[in-house]
Amino acid sequence: MQFFLDTANIDQISEVRDLGLLDGVTTNPTLLSREGGDWRDQAARICALVDGPVSLEVIATSAEGMIKEAKDLISFGENVVVKIPMIPEGLKALRKLTDQGIRTNVTLVFSPAQALLAGKLGAAYVSPFVGRLDGLSQNGMEVVSQIRTIYDNYGFETRILVASVRHPMHVLDAAMIGADVATVPYATLMQLMHHPLTDKGLAAFLADWKKFQGE
Ligand code: E4P
C-alpha cells in the first residue's frame, strides 16, 4: 500500500520524505489555506519536493471552469493530479480530462455508487472520506470494501485512495481491504510507527549493555 501525506506543510512533507515513507501528497483548499502566503508558491514547492503524485484541487464548480483550472494546475509539475469534486459538473470535466490524458483524483466521495461513476469515467484515483463518514455513524471502511469489490469486478484501474484518515486503525483496515493508497495526516503517520513496548525494550537493552560494559 502506498502512503500519501495529507498536508500542504513543507516541514511535514520533508520529514516523511526523509523517513523514506513518502509516496505522494494530497492537498485541498483547506490545507493550503492553513499554510498562508501565496498558494501558488506553496503548491510549486510541494510539487518540486515530492517524488510522486501531488493532488491539487480545483475551486471551480462548472465543468468548463474545472477544465480551465486543471490546465493551470498541471503547469506546477509533471506529478500533479487534479482533484475534482464528485458533483455532476465534476463528472463532465472528468471525462474530458481523462480523454486529454490528465490524471484526476475524484474527491468528496462518500458512497460506492459515486466511486463506480468515477471509475467508469477513468479517474486515476478515487478518494472515499472514511473519517467524515464515521463521524456520521456510517461505516467508512465498509464503503472502501465495497469500492474494492466493484473495481475488482470490472477491472477498473482507478486507484482507491483512502482519505479523511483519523487514526492508525483506519490505515490498517485500509491495508486489510486492499486499498491502493492511504492519505494520512502527519500525526497519524507518526502514531503508526510508535509503540511503548518498543521504547521500553530499547531502553532496557541499552541499560543492560551499559551495565555489561561496566560504565
Ligand atoms: C483528501 O484528499 C482530503 O484532503 C482529506 O483526507 C480530507 O480529510 P478531512 O476529513 O480530514 O478534512
Side-chain angles (χ1 to χ4, degrees), residues 6 26-28 31 83 107 127 129 132 163-166 183:
D6 199 22
T26 51
T27 69
N28 62 40
L31 293 171
K83 246 180 167 181
T107 190
S127 291
F129 276 38
R132 294 193 195 186
S164 187
V165 164
R166 296 277 181 267
T183 188

Side-chain angles (χ1 to χ4, degrees), residues 40-185:
R40 298 186 71 88
D41 287 347
Q42 191 72 6
R45 287 177 72 196
I46 295 169
C47 291
L49 189 60
V50 179
D51 189 16
V54 175
S55 286
L56 300 177
E57 187 162 343
V58 298
I59 304 298
T61 51
S62 68
E64 197 187 343
M66 288 182 208
I67 291 166
K68 198 168 157 219
E69 278 181 29
K71 299 272 170 62
D72 177 41
L73 292 175
I74 60 172
S75 71
F76 284 99
E78 284 182 1
N79 50 351
V80 171
V81 174
V82 179
K83 246 180 167 181
I84 300 284
M86 179 63 221
I87 57 176
E89 287 295 303
L91 293 184
K92 274 191 219 164
L94 175 58
R95 163 54 58 86
K96 296 205 168 103
L97 293 170
T98 303
D99 289 348
Q100 290 171 35
I102 294 174
R103 288 189 302 165
T104 50
N105 171 0
V106 176
T107 190
L108 292 166
V109 167
F110 294 95
S111 77
Q114 290 178 320
L116 171 59
L117 302 182
K120 193 171 161 53
L121 292 175
Y125 296 91
V126 68
S127 291
F129 276 38
V130 295
R132 294 193 195 186
L133 279 168
D134 289 358
L136 289 181
S137 304
Q138 295 181 13
N139 189 337
M141 278 302 155
E142 179 59 25
V143 170
V144 174
S145 177
Q146 289 170 315
I147 298 171
R148 180 73 284 157
T149 301
I150 292 167
Y151 284 8
D152 289 348
N153 283 348
Y154 295 102
F156 286 162
E157 288 176 9
T158 303
R159 296 168 77 77
I160 302 172
L161 197 173
V162 175
S164 187
V165 164
R166 296 277 181 267
H167 47 69
M169 284 311 295
H170 275 150
V171 181
L172 292 187
D173 288 342
M176 292 298 289
I177 290 167
D180 301 284
V181 190
T183 188
V184 186

